[in-house]
PDB file of all heavy atoms in Angstrom:
ATOM      1  N   VAL C   1     109.296 103.706  94.302  1.00 98.00           N
ATOM      2  CA  VAL C   1     109.387 102.909  93.002  1.00 98.00           C
ATOM      3  C   VAL C   1     107.857 102.241  92.899  1.00 98.00           C
ATOM      4  O   VAL C   1     107.384 102.139  91.756  1.00 98.00           O
ATOM      5  CB  VAL C   1     110.464 101.931  93.102  1.00 98.00           C
ATOM      6  CG1 VAL C   1     110.148 100.674  92.191  1.00 98.00           C
ATOM      7  CG2 VAL C   1     111.745 102.367  92.929  1.00 98.00           C
ATOM      8  N   ARG C   2     107.358 101.754  93.835  1.00 98.00           N
ATOM      9  CA  ARG C   2     106.048 101.011  93.796  1.00 98.00           C
ATOM     10  C   ARG C   2     104.954 101.914  93.285  1.00 98.00           C
ATOM     11  O   ARG C   2     103.948 101.347  92.897  1.00 98.00           O
ATOM     12  CB  ARG C   2     105.769 100.320  95.231  1.00 98.00           C
ATOM     13  CG  ARG C   2     106.757  99.193  95.627  1.00 98.00           C
ATOM     14  CD  ARG C   2     106.162  98.389  96.662  1.00 98.00           C
ATOM     15  NE  ARG C   2     105.129  97.514  96.222  1.00 98.00           N
ATOM     16  CZ  ARG C   2     103.977  97.200  96.993  1.00 98.00           C
ATOM     17  NH1 ARG C   2     103.846  97.691  98.186  1.00 98.00           N
ATOM     18  NH2 ARG C   2     103.031  96.374  96.428  1.00 98.00           N
ATOM     19  N   GLN C   3     105.075 103.016  93.476  1.00 98.00           N
ATOM     20  CA  GLN C   3     104.078 104.002  92.955  1.00 98.00           C
ATOM     21  C   GLN C   3     103.959 103.768  91.290  1.00 98.00           C
ATOM     22  O   GLN C   3     102.903 104.181  90.795  1.00 98.00           O
ATOM     23  CB  GLN C   3     104.372 105.495  93.192  1.00 98.00           C
ATOM     24  CG  GLN C   3     104.312 105.819  94.640  1.00 98.00           C
ATOM     25  CD  GLN C   3     104.689 107.274  94.916  1.00 98.00           C
ATOM     26  OE1 GLN C   3     104.822 108.063  94.087  1.00 98.00           O
ATOM     27  NE2 GLN C   3     105.059 107.418  96.188  1.00 98.00           N
ATOM     28  N   HIS C   4     105.014 103.198  90.678  1.00 97.00           N
ATOM     29  CA  HIS C   4     105.115 103.037  89.244  1.00 97.00           C
ATOM     30  C   HIS C   4     104.987 101.639  88.960  1.00 97.00           C
ATOM     31  O   HIS C   4     105.443 101.160  87.904  1.00 97.00           O
ATOM     32  CB  HIS C   4     106.242 103.742  88.635  1.00 97.00           C
ATOM     33  CG  HIS C   4     106.472 105.139  89.093  1.00 97.00           C
ATOM     34  ND1 HIS C   4     105.492 106.143  88.811  1.00 97.00           N
ATOM     35  CD2 HIS C   4     107.490 105.687  89.791  1.00 97.00           C
ATOM     36  CE1 HIS C   4     105.887 107.217  89.240  1.00 97.00           C
ATOM     37  NE2 HIS C   4     107.053 107.087  89.873  1.00 97.00           N
ATOM     38  N   THR C   5     104.267 100.750  89.664  1.00 97.00           N
ATOM     39  CA  THR C   5     104.262  99.340  89.473  1.00 97.00           C
ATOM     40  C   THR C   5     102.743  98.838  89.435  1.00 97.00           C
ATOM     41  O   THR C   5     101.813  99.508  90.023  1.00 97.00           O
ATOM     42  CB  THR C   5     104.978  98.514  90.544  1.00 97.00           C
ATOM     43  OG1 THR C   5     104.343  98.661  91.748  1.00 97.00           O
ATOM     44  CG2 THR C   5     106.389  98.975  90.631  1.00 97.00           C
ATOM     45  N   VAL C   6     102.600  97.616  88.867  1.00 96.00           N
ATOM     46  CA  VAL C   6     101.224  96.867  89.030  1.00 96.00           C
ATOM     47  C   VAL C   6     101.635  95.563  89.722  1.00 96.00           C
ATOM     48  O   VAL C   6     102.199  94.700  89.106  1.00 96.00           O
ATOM     49  CB  VAL C   6     100.709  96.623  87.657  1.00 96.00           C
ATOM     50  CG1 VAL C   6      99.387  95.856  87.731  1.00 96.00           C
ATOM     51  CG2 VAL C   6     100.418  97.793  86.808  1.00 96.00           C
ATOM     52  N   PRO C   7     101.293  95.564  91.081  1.00 97.00           N
ATOM     53  CA  PRO C   7     101.793  94.260  91.753  1.00 97.00           C
ATOM     54  C   PRO C   7     100.944  93.155  91.461  1.00 97.00           C
ATOM     55  O   PRO C   7      99.781  93.174  91.009  1.00 97.00           O
ATOM     56  CB  PRO C   7     101.543  94.800  93.255  1.00 97.00           C
ATOM     57  CG  PRO C   7     100.501  95.909  93.158  1.00 97.00           C
ATOM     58  CD  PRO C   7     100.639  96.498  91.807  1.00 97.00           C
ATOM     59  N   ASP C   8     101.535  91.950  91.871  1.00 95.00           N
ATOM     60  CA  ASP C   8     100.907  90.663  91.563  1.00 95.00           C
ATOM     61  C   ASP C   8     100.357  90.406  90.278  1.00 95.00           C
ATOM     62  O   ASP C   8      99.100  90.040  90.020  1.00 95.00           O
ATOM     63  CB  ASP C   8      99.826  90.428  92.647  1.00 95.00           C
ATOM     64  CG  ASP C   8     100.424  90.452  94.009  1.00 95.00           C
ATOM     65  OD1 ASP C   8     101.298  89.666  94.262  1.00 95.00           O
ATOM     66  OD2 ASP C   8      99.905  91.258  95.025  1.00 95.00           O
ATOM     67  N   GLN C   9     101.168  90.794  89.207  1.00 95.00           N
ATOM     68  CA  GLN C   9     100.657  90.721  87.868  1.00 95.00           C
ATOM     69  C   GLN C   9     100.746  89.329  87.315  1.00 95.00           C
ATOM     70  O   GLN C   9     101.766  88.567  87.469  1.00 95.00           O
ATOM     71  CB  GLN C   9     101.512  91.638  86.920  1.00 95.00           C
ATOM     72  CG  GLN C   9     100.845  91.962  85.653  1.00 95.00           C
ATOM     73  CD  GLN C   9     101.503  93.124  84.993  1.00 95.00           C
ATOM     74  OE1 GLN C   9     102.748  93.080  84.678  1.00 95.00           O
ATOM     75  NE2 GLN C   9     100.729  94.143  84.630  1.00 95.00           N
ATOM     76  N   ILE C  10      99.579  88.734  86.788  1.00 93.00           N
ATOM     77  CA  ILE C  10      99.464  87.436  86.210  1.00 93.00           C
ATOM     78  C   ILE C  10      99.854  87.358  84.836  1.00 93.00           C
ATOM     79  O   ILE C  10      99.569  88.397  84.010  1.00 93.00           O
ATOM     80  CB  ILE C  10      98.047  86.893  86.398  1.00 93.00           C
ATOM     81  CG1 ILE C  10      97.640  86.814  87.805  1.00 93.00           C
ATOM     82  CG2 ILE C  10      97.913  85.581  85.774  1.00 93.00           C
ATOM     83  CD1 ILE C  10      96.129  86.541  88.104  1.00 93.00           C
ATOM     84  N   MET C  11     100.682  86.502  84.406  1.00 90.00           N
ATOM     85  CA  MET C  11     101.012  86.240  83.059  1.00 90.00           C
ATOM     86  C   MET C  11     100.254  85.048  82.464  1.00 90.00           C
ATOM     87  O   MET C  11     100.195  83.909  82.933  1.00 90.00           O
ATOM     88  CB  MET C  11     102.521  85.990  82.817  1.00 90.00           C
ATOM     89  CG  MET C  11     102.932  85.717  81.447  1.00 90.00           C
ATOM     90  SD  MET C  11     104.626  85.409  81.151  1.00 90.00           S
ATOM     91  CE  MET C  11     105.370  86.993  81.163  1.00 90.00           C
ATOM     92  N   GLY C  12      99.362  85.476  81.445  1.00 89.00           N
ATOM     93  CA  GLY C  12      98.356  84.250  80.897  1.00 89.00           C
ATOM     94  C   GLY C  12      99.019  83.986  79.451  1.00 89.00           C
ATOM     95  O   GLY C  12      99.280  84.933  78.679  1.00 89.00           O
ATOM     96  N   PHE C  13      99.049  82.690  79.184  1.00 86.00           N
ATOM     97  CA  PHE C  13      99.302  82.202  77.697  1.00 86.00           C
ATOM     98  C   PHE C  13      98.010  81.758  77.148  1.00 86.00           C
ATOM     99  O   PHE C  13      97.356  80.849  77.625  1.00 86.00           O
ATOM    100  CB  PHE C  13     100.337  81.093  77.875  1.00 86.00           C
ATOM    101  CG  PHE C  13     101.608  81.469  78.274  1.00 86.00           C
ATOM    102  CD1 PHE C  13     101.967  81.444  79.703  1.00 86.00           C
ATOM    103  CD2 PHE C  13     102.606  81.718  77.452  1.00 86.00           C
ATOM    104  CE1 PHE C  13     103.320  81.812  80.095  1.00 86.00           C
ATOM    105  CE2 PHE C  13     103.906  82.239  77.802  1.00 86.00           C
ATOM    106  CZ  PHE C  13     104.269  82.156  79.179  1.00 86.00           C
ATOM    107  N   LEU C  14      97.580  82.524  76.159  1.00 88.00           N
ATOM    108  CA  LEU C  14      96.165  82.330  75.545  1.00 88.00           C
ATOM    109  C   LEU C  14      96.399  81.801  74.108  1.00 88.00           C
ATOM    110  O   LEU C  14      97.338  82.120  73.442  1.00 88.00           O
ATOM    111  CB  LEU C  14      95.487  83.666  75.305  1.00 88.00           C
ATOM    112  CG  LEU C  14      94.847  84.282  76.629  1.00 88.00           C
ATOM    113  CD1 LEU C  14      95.835  84.460  77.800  1.00 88.00           C
ATOM    114  CD2 LEU C  14      94.287  85.576  76.314  1.00 88.00           C
ATOM    115  N   ASN C  15      95.512  80.874  73.834  1.00 83.00           N
ATOM    116  CA  ASN C  15      95.449  80.426  72.419  1.00 83.00           C
ATOM    117  C   ASN C  15      94.835  81.345  71.425  1.00 83.00           C
ATOM    118  O   ASN C  15      94.491  82.460  71.894  1.00 83.00           O
ATOM    119  CB  ASN C  15      94.732  78.886  72.329  1.00 83.00           C
ATOM    120  CG  ASN C  15      93.283  79.086  72.538  1.00 83.00           C
ATOM    121  OD1 ASN C  15      92.598  80.122  72.680  1.00 83.00           O
ATOM    122  ND2 ASN C  15      92.662  77.950  72.878  1.00 83.00           N
ATOM    123  N   ARG C  16      94.785  80.927  70.189  1.00 82.00           N
ATOM    124  CA  ARG C  16      94.254  81.953  69.151  1.00 82.00           C
ATOM    125  C   ARG C  16      92.868  82.294  69.406  1.00 82.00           C
ATOM    126  O   ARG C  16      92.423  83.366  68.796  1.00 82.00           O
ATOM    127  CB  ARG C  16      94.377  81.275  67.760  1.00 82.00           C
ATOM    128  CG  ARG C  16      93.581  80.127  67.549  1.00 82.00           C
ATOM    129  CD  ARG C  16      93.853  79.582  66.111  1.00 82.00           C
ATOM    130  NE  ARG C  16      93.062  78.337  65.797  1.00 82.00           N
ATOM    131  CZ  ARG C  16      93.364  77.029  66.014  1.00 82.00           C
ATOM    132  NH1 ARG C  16      94.536  76.837  66.731  1.00 82.00           N
ATOM    133  NH2 ARG C  16      92.602  76.057  65.765  1.00 82.00           N
ATOM    134  N   HIS C  17      92.045  81.549  70.142  1.00 85.00           N
ATOM    135  CA  HIS C  17      90.666  82.005  70.549  1.00 85.00           C
ATOM    136  C   HIS C  17      90.654  82.792  71.808  1.00 85.00           C
ATOM    137  O   HIS C  17      89.580  83.080  72.336  1.00 85.00           O
ATOM    138  CB  HIS C  17      89.716  80.696  70.736  1.00 85.00           C
ATOM    139  CG  HIS C  17      89.789  79.865  69.465  1.00 85.00           C
ATOM    140  ND1 HIS C  17      89.344  80.336  68.278  1.00 85.00           N
ATOM    141  CD2 HIS C  17      90.294  78.584  69.365  1.00 85.00           C
ATOM    142  CE1 HIS C  17      89.511  79.356  67.414  1.00 85.00           C
ATOM    143  NE2 HIS C  17      90.091  78.228  67.912  1.00 85.00           N
ATOM    144  N   ARG C  18      91.880  83.159  72.320  1.00 86.00           N
ATOM    145  CA  ARG C  18      91.940  83.897  73.513  1.00 86.00           C
ATOM    146  C   ARG C  18      91.631  83.051  74.838  1.00 86.00           C
ATOM    147  O   ARG C  18      91.116  83.742  75.805  1.00 86.00           O
ATOM    148  CB  ARG C  18      91.315  85.384  73.548  1.00 86.00           C
ATOM    149  CG  ARG C  18      92.140  86.261  72.523  1.00 86.00           C
ATOM    150  CD  ARG C  18      91.463  87.737  72.589  1.00 86.00           C
ATOM    151  NE  ARG C  18      91.754  88.360  73.979  1.00 86.00           N
ATOM    152  CZ  ARG C  18      92.876  88.937  74.243  1.00 86.00           C
ATOM    153  NH1 ARG C  18      93.762  89.138  73.419  1.00 86.00           N
ATOM    154  NH2 ARG C  18      92.923  89.436  75.520  1.00 86.00           N
ATOM    155  N   GLN C  19      91.592  81.790  74.634  1.00 84.00           N
ATOM    156  CA  GLN C  19      91.283  80.916  75.913  1.00 84.00           C
ATOM    157  C   GLN C  19      92.677  80.741  76.592  1.00 84.00           C
ATOM    158  O   GLN C  19      93.626  80.494  75.899  1.00 84.00           O
ATOM    159  CB  GLN C  19      90.740  79.641  75.291  1.00 84.00           C
ATOM    160  CG  GLN C  19      89.375  79.859  74.753  1.00 84.00           C
ATOM    161  CD  GLN C  19      88.941  78.504  73.964  1.00 84.00           C
ATOM    162  OE1 GLN C  19      89.737  77.765  73.431  1.00 84.00           O
ATOM    163  NE2 GLN C  19      87.573  78.339  73.993  1.00 84.00           N
ATOM    164  N   THR C  20      92.654  80.824  77.878  1.00 85.00           N
ATOM    165  CA  THR C  20      93.797  80.637  78.713  1.00 85.00           C
ATOM    166  C   THR C  20      94.261  79.140  78.594  1.00 85.00           C
ATOM    167  O   THR C  20      93.484  78.230  79.154  1.00 85.00           O
ATOM    168  CB  THR C  20      93.619  81.101  80.191  1.00 85.00           C
ATOM    169  OG1 THR C  20      93.182  82.386  80.045  1.00 85.00           O
ATOM    170  CG2 THR C  20      94.805  81.023  80.983  1.00 85.00           C
ATOM    171  N   LEU C  21      95.587  78.957  78.277  1.00 81.00           N
ATOM    172  CA  LEU C  21      96.198  77.710  78.274  1.00 81.00           C
ATOM    173  C   LEU C  21      96.827  77.497  79.733  1.00 81.00           C
ATOM    174  O   LEU C  21      96.650  76.439  80.281  1.00 81.00           O
ATOM    175  CB  LEU C  21      97.314  77.540  77.254  1.00 81.00           C
ATOM    176  CG  LEU C  21      96.785  77.572  75.953  1.00 81.00           C
ATOM    177  CD1 LEU C  21      98.052  77.720  74.834  1.00 81.00           C
ATOM    178  CD2 LEU C  21      95.890  76.339  75.508  1.00 81.00           C
ATOM    179  N   ILE C  22      97.472  78.423  80.176  1.00 82.00           N
ATOM    180  CA  ILE C  22      98.220  78.340  81.495  1.00 82.00           C
ATOM    181  C   ILE C  22      98.342  79.770  82.017  1.00 82.00           C
ATOM    182  O   ILE C  22      98.678  80.724  81.159  1.00 82.00           O
ATOM    183  CB  ILE C  22      99.488  77.556  81.412  1.00 82.00           C
ATOM    184  CG1 ILE C  22     100.086  77.283  82.722  1.00 82.00           C
ATOM    185  CG2 ILE C  22     100.511  78.431  80.452  1.00 82.00           C
ATOM    186  CD1 ILE C  22      99.552  76.165  83.461  1.00 82.00           C
ATOM    187  N   SER C  23      98.492  79.919  83.219  1.00 86.00           N
ATOM    188  CA  SER C  23      98.665  81.257  83.937  1.00 86.00           C
ATOM    189  C   SER C  23      99.823  81.153  84.841  1.00 86.00           C
ATOM    190  O   SER C  23      99.824  80.237  85.696  1.00 86.00           O
ATOM    191  CB  SER C  23      97.434  81.865  84.660  1.00 86.00           C
ATOM    192  OG  SER C  23      96.482  82.133  83.655  1.00 86.00           O
ATOM    193  N   ILE C  24     100.770  82.210  84.963  1.00 86.00           N
ATOM    194  CA  ILE C  24     101.743  82.333  85.837  1.00 86.00           C
ATOM    195  C   ILE C  24     101.423  83.186  86.877  1.00 86.00           C
ATOM    196  O   ILE C  24     101.202  84.504  86.633  1.00 86.00           O
ATOM    197  CB  ILE C  24     103.165  82.648  85.170  1.00 86.00           C
ATOM    198  CG1 ILE C  24     103.541  81.660  84.185  1.00 86.00           C
ATOM    199  CG2 ILE C  24     104.127  82.815  86.246  1.00 86.00           C
ATOM    200  CD1 ILE C  24     104.868  82.041  83.470  1.00 86.00           C
ATOM    201  N   MET C  25     101.112  82.695  88.176  1.00 87.00           N
ATOM    202  CA  MET C  25     100.807  83.574  89.237  1.00 87.00           C
ATOM    203  C   MET C  25     101.299  83.040  90.468  1.00 87.00           C
ATOM    204  O   MET C  25     100.637  82.327  91.271  1.00 87.00           O
ATOM    205  CB  MET C  25      99.167  83.678  89.374  1.00 87.00           C
ATOM    206  CG  MET C  25      98.419  82.452  89.062  1.00 87.00           C
ATOM    207  SD  MET C  25      96.685  82.828  89.014  1.00 87.00           S
ATOM    208  CE  MET C  25      95.941  81.139  88.679  1.00 87.00           C
ATOM    209  N   PRO C  26     102.512  83.177  90.811  1.00 87.00           N
ATOM    210  CA  PRO C  26     103.296  82.615  91.991  1.00 87.00           C
ATOM    211  C   PRO C  26     102.675  83.099  93.152  1.00 87.00           C
ATOM    212  O   PRO C  26     102.385  84.309  93.458  1.00 87.00           O
ATOM    213  CB  PRO C  26     104.634  82.951  91.838  1.00 87.00           C
ATOM    214  CG  PRO C  26     104.619  84.294  90.967  1.00 87.00           C
ATOM    215  CD  PRO C  26     103.533  84.085  89.996  1.00 87.00           C
ATOM    216  N   PRO C  27     102.465  82.177  94.148  1.00 87.00           N
ATOM    217  CA  PRO C  27     101.868  82.584  95.498  1.00 87.00           C
ATOM    218  C   PRO C  27     102.811  83.015  96.516  1.00 87.00           C
ATOM    219  O   PRO C  27     103.995  82.921  96.468  1.00 87.00           O
ATOM    220  CB  PRO C  27     101.147  81.221  95.936  1.00 87.00           C
ATOM    221  CG  PRO C  27     102.158  80.225  95.484  1.00 87.00           C
ATOM    222  CD  PRO C  27     102.572  80.711  94.119  1.00 87.00           C
ATOM    223  N   GLY C  28     102.198  83.735  97.470  1.00 91.00           N
ATOM    224  CA  GLY C  28     103.145  84.127  98.600  1.00 91.00           C
ATOM    225  C   GLY C  28     104.049  85.375  98.323  1.00 91.00           C
ATOM    226  O   GLY C  28     104.234  85.668  97.203  1.00 91.00           O
ATOM    227  N   GLN C  29     104.715  85.754  99.365  1.00 95.00           N
ATOM    228  CA  GLN C  29     105.797  86.851  99.269  1.00 95.00           C
ATOM    229  C   GLN C  29     106.911  86.426 100.106  1.00 95.00           C
ATOM    230  O   GLN C  29     107.145  87.082 101.155  1.00 95.00           O
ATOM    231  CB  GLN C  29     105.221  88.227  99.648  1.00 95.00           C
ATOM    232  CG  GLN C  29     103.983  88.615  98.813  1.00 95.00           C
ATOM    233  CD  GLN C  29     103.538  90.012  99.101  1.00 95.00           C
ATOM    234  OE1 GLN C  29     104.217  90.868  99.942  1.00 95.00           O
ATOM    235  NE2 GLN C  29     102.469  90.513  98.499  1.00 95.00           N
ATOM    236  N   PRO C  30     107.678  85.444  99.696  1.00 96.00           N
ATOM    237  CA  PRO C  30     108.901  85.008 100.537  1.00 96.00           C
ATOM    238  C   PRO C  30     109.814  85.937 100.943  1.00 96.00           C
ATOM    239  O   PRO C  30     110.484  85.993 101.962  1.00 96.00           O
ATOM    240  CB  PRO C  30     109.375  83.764  99.849  1.00 96.00           C
ATOM    241  CG  PRO C  30     108.975  83.876  98.462  1.00 96.00           C
ATOM    242  CD  PRO C  30     107.493  84.611  98.548  1.00 96.00           C
ATOM    243  N   PHE C  31     109.936  87.022  99.970  1.00 97.00           N
ATOM    244  CA  PHE C  31     111.024  87.965 100.182  1.00 97.00           C
ATOM    245  C   PHE C  31     110.542  89.345 100.507  1.00 97.00           C
ATOM    246  O   PHE C  31     111.147  90.353 100.415  1.00 97.00           O
ATOM    247  CB  PHE C  31     111.952  88.143  98.914  1.00 97.00           C
ATOM    248  CG  PHE C  31     112.663  86.791  98.600  1.00 97.00           C
ATOM    249  CD1 PHE C  31     112.834  86.392  97.335  1.00 97.00           C
ATOM    250  CD2 PHE C  31     113.137  86.032  99.475  1.00 97.00           C
ATOM    251  CE1 PHE C  31     113.452  85.330  96.877  1.00 97.00           C
ATOM    252  CE2 PHE C  31     113.761  84.835  99.229  1.00 97.00           C
ATOM    253  CZ  PHE C  31     114.003  84.411  97.884  1.00 97.00           C
ATOM    254  N   GLY C  32     109.215  89.280 100.920  1.00 97.00           N
ATOM    255  CA  GLY C  32     108.516  90.503 101.489  1.00 97.00           C
ATOM    256  C   GLY C  32     107.839  91.229 100.494  1.00 97.00           C
ATOM    257  O   GLY C  32     107.260  92.390 100.876  1.00 97.00           O
ATOM    258  N   TRP C  33     107.850  90.867  99.232  1.00 98.00           N
ATOM    259  CA  TRP C  33     107.213  91.794  98.119  1.00 98.00           C
ATOM    260  C   TRP C  33     106.505  90.888  97.028  1.00 98.00           C
ATOM    261  O   TRP C  33     106.817  89.668  96.928  1.00 98.00           O
ATOM    262  CB  TRP C  33     108.288  92.674  97.522  1.00 98.00           C
ATOM    263  CG  TRP C  33     108.916  93.579  98.434  1.00 98.00           C
ATOM    264  CD1 TRP C  33     110.231  93.442  99.050  1.00 98.00           C
ATOM    265  CD2 TRP C  33     108.519  94.740  98.983  1.00 98.00           C
ATOM    266  NE1 TRP C  33     110.534  94.308  99.921  1.00 98.00           N
ATOM    267  CE2 TRP C  33     109.426  95.269  99.885  1.00 98.00           C
ATOM    268  CE3 TRP C  33     107.224  95.426  98.958  1.00 98.00           C
ATOM    269  CZ2 TRP C  33     109.215  96.407 100.653  1.00 98.00           C
ATOM    270  CZ3 TRP C  33     107.000  96.643  99.681  1.00 98.00           C
ATOM    271  CH2 TRP C  33     108.071  97.111 100.526  1.00 98.00           C
ATOM    272  N   PRO C  34     105.596  91.459  96.380  1.00 97.00           N
ATOM    273  CA  PRO C  34     104.936  90.622  95.271  1.00 97.00           C
ATOM    274  C   PRO C  34     106.081  90.076  94.313  1.00 97.00           C
ATOM    275  O   PRO C  34     107.090  90.725  93.842  1.00 97.00           O
ATOM    276  CB  PRO C  34     104.039  91.684  94.591  1.00 97.00           C
ATOM    277  CG  PRO C  34     103.801  92.744  95.588  1.00 97.00           C
ATOM    278  CD  PRO C  34     104.977  92.855  96.405  1.00 97.00           C
ATOM    279  N   ARG C  35     105.822  88.861  93.785  1.00 94.00           N
ATOM    280  CA  ARG C  35     106.941  88.259  93.035  1.00 94.00           C
ATOM    281  C   ARG C  35     106.849  88.659  91.495  1.00 94.00           C
ATOM    282  O   ARG C  35     107.900  88.669  90.955  1.00 94.00           O
ATOM    283  CB  ARG C  35     106.747  86.758  93.115  1.00 94.00           C
ATOM    284  CG  ARG C  35     106.944  86.277  94.541  1.00 94.00           C
ATOM    285  CD  ARG C  35     106.775  84.737  94.652  1.00 94.00           C
ATOM    286  NE  ARG C  35     107.716  84.082  93.856  1.00 94.00           N
ATOM    287  CZ  ARG C  35     107.663  82.692  93.607  1.00 94.00           C
ATOM    288  NH1 ARG C  35     106.746  81.976  94.199  1.00 94.00           N
ATOM    289  NH2 ARG C  35     108.565  82.102  92.964  1.00 94.00           N
ATOM    290  N   ARG C  36     105.781  89.221  91.095  1.00 94.00           N
ATOM    291  CA  ARG C  36     105.643  89.688  89.721  1.00 94.00           C
ATOM    292  C   ARG C  36     104.981  90.980  89.771  1.00 94.00           C
ATOM    293  O   ARG C  36     103.870  91.137  90.211  1.00 94.00           O
ATOM    294  CB  ARG C  36     104.794  88.738  88.729  1.00 94.00           C
ATOM    295  CG  ARG C  36     105.625  87.383  88.397  1.00 94.00           C
ATOM    296  CD  ARG C  36     104.697  86.644  87.508  1.00 94.00           C
ATOM    297  NE  ARG C  36     104.375  87.477  86.310  1.00 94.00           N
ATOM    298  CZ  ARG C  36     105.160  87.672  85.165  1.00 94.00           C
ATOM    299  NH1 ARG C  36     106.337  87.092  85.141  1.00 94.00           N
ATOM    300  NH2 ARG C  36     104.704  88.389  84.215  1.00 94.00           N
ATOM    301  N   ASN C  37     105.821  91.943  89.056  1.00 95.00           N
ATOM    302  CA  ASN C  37     105.079  93.343  89.021  1.00 95.00           C
ATOM    303  C   ASN C  37     105.414  94.008  87.661  1.00 95.00           C
ATOM    304  O   ASN C  37     106.506  93.991  87.168  1.00 95.00           O
ATOM    305  CB  ASN C  37     105.924  94.257  90.068  1.00 95.00           C
ATOM    306  CG  ASN C  37     105.859  93.620  91.472  1.00 95.00           C
ATOM    307  OD1 ASN C  37     104.925  93.977  92.251  1.00 95.00           O
ATOM    308  ND2 ASN C  37     106.758  92.737  91.830  1.00 95.00           N
ATOM    309  N   GLY C  38     104.382  94.505  87.149  1.00 95.00           N
ATOM    310  CA  GLY C  38     104.587  95.429  85.905  1.00 95.00           C
ATOM    311  C   GLY C  38     105.066  96.729  86.354  1.00 95.00           C
ATOM    312  O   GLY C  38     104.784  97.222  87.450  1.00 95.00           O
ATOM    313  N   PHE C  39     105.793  97.384  85.487  1.00 96.00           N
ATOM    314  CA  PHE C  39     106.354  98.743  85.955  1.00 96.00           C
ATOM    315  C   PHE C  39     106.672  99.539  84.665  1.00 96.00           C
ATOM    316  O   PHE C  39     106.832  98.876  83.553  1.00 96.00           O
ATOM    317  CB  PHE C  39     107.525  98.593  86.885  1.00 96.00           C
ATOM    318  CG  PHE C  39     108.795  98.231  86.136  1.00 96.00           C
ATOM    319  CD1 PHE C  39     109.770  99.236  86.112  1.00 96.00           C
ATOM    320  CD2 PHE C  39     109.205  97.045  85.732  1.00 96.00           C
ATOM    321  CE1 PHE C  39     110.994  98.855  85.611  1.00 96.00           C
ATOM    322  CE2 PHE C  39     110.258  96.668  85.086  1.00 96.00           C
ATOM    323  CZ  PHE C  39     111.325  97.755  85.076  1.00 96.00           C
TER     324      PHE C  39
END
């Protein structure tokens, strides 16, 4: 499955000038795997 993923993916909320307001990037791997993955 992980062959079809992008691990540790950050989600950024950008304003109209594409400046970052906030980014979601949770630290650690408490359950053994990256917490956010694109797929």
